[in-house]
Amino acid sequence: DDSPASGADQFLPWVNVDDAGAVHVTFLARRNDPANLRYAMYVATSTDGGASFGPNVKVSDGDYPPSSLYFVGDYNQTALGGGRLHPIWVDARNGDLDVFTRDLDLTDYDDDGVLNDGDLDGQYADHRCTGGATGLALIGINVGVMLSTTEA
């Protein structure tokens, strides 16, 4: 959603394709910080094979600083399964890097009862999702813990 002229960094993308063929890209962006330091996790979705994407939806509950101790990209990824998207990122909101995730329903990222595409036609790019509900739980994990996913 950022104009290239904004100068805001968008970095560390992670791409997943769900069973319906929708392309989900999670990434970090510094769009809300004029100093271009603090970042947040976002997701954008395409229902036409990546030709176009719906609006960026903020996944993290704030914009957080990086850490001078570790590289944030070492711990970022996104898992997909069971109709859910699980973006994983690190930030230094607590002074050191901790790992966070948010459990997102693929059809209703912000759990507000309105599907991501806004008008139920299955296309994300024609209507904006409001995104950013505050009622979703974030899970914080110390960086020292190894994350793994398995699918039954």
Side-chain angles (χ1 to χ4, degrees):
D1 288 345
D2 290 328
S3 160
S6 74
D9 292 333
Q10 297 176 353
F11 54 103
L12 299 174
W14 196 271
V15 179
N16 292 89
V17 179
D18 67 26
D19 292 337
V23 179
H24 306 275
V25 179
T26 56
F27 58 94
L28 298 177
R30 293 181 171 143
R31 64 178 53 151
N32 297 322
D33 182 5
N36 203 32
L37 295 173
R38 299 169 70 83
Y39 59 86
M41 175 64 79
Y42 287 82
V43 62
T45 298
S46 172
T47 55
D48 59 10
S52 65
F53 282 83
N56 300 171
V57 176
K58 190 173 184 178
V59 174
S60 57
D61 64 340
D63 294 80
Y64 299 101
S67 168
S68 61
L69 301 176
Y70 303 100
F71 180 62
V72 297
D74 290 343
Y75 304 98
N76 287 10
Q77 68 174 325
T78 299
L80 177 78
R84 312 292 292 184
L85 189 68
H86 307 276
I88 300 166
W89 71 95
V90 297
D91 62 51
R93 70 180 74 183
N94 298 319
D96 61 349
L97 283 182
D98 294 314
V99 178
F100 295 88
T101 186
R102 181 167 249 166
D103 177 34
L104 302 174
D105 183 319
L106 288 177
T107 60
D108 184 7
Y109 292 146
D110 55 6
D111 287 329
D112 65 356
V114 177
L115 297 184
N116 293 332
D117 70 341
D119 65 0
L120 311 180
D121 69 356
Q123 300 301 310
Y124 288 73
D126 63 346
H127 290 86
R128 300 183 71 78
C129 172
T130 58
T134 58
L136 298 179
L138 284 175
I139 300 170
I141 302 169
N142 188 297
V143 164
V145 176
M146 179 177 246
L147 295 176
S148 66
T149 60
T150 58
E151 191 168 310

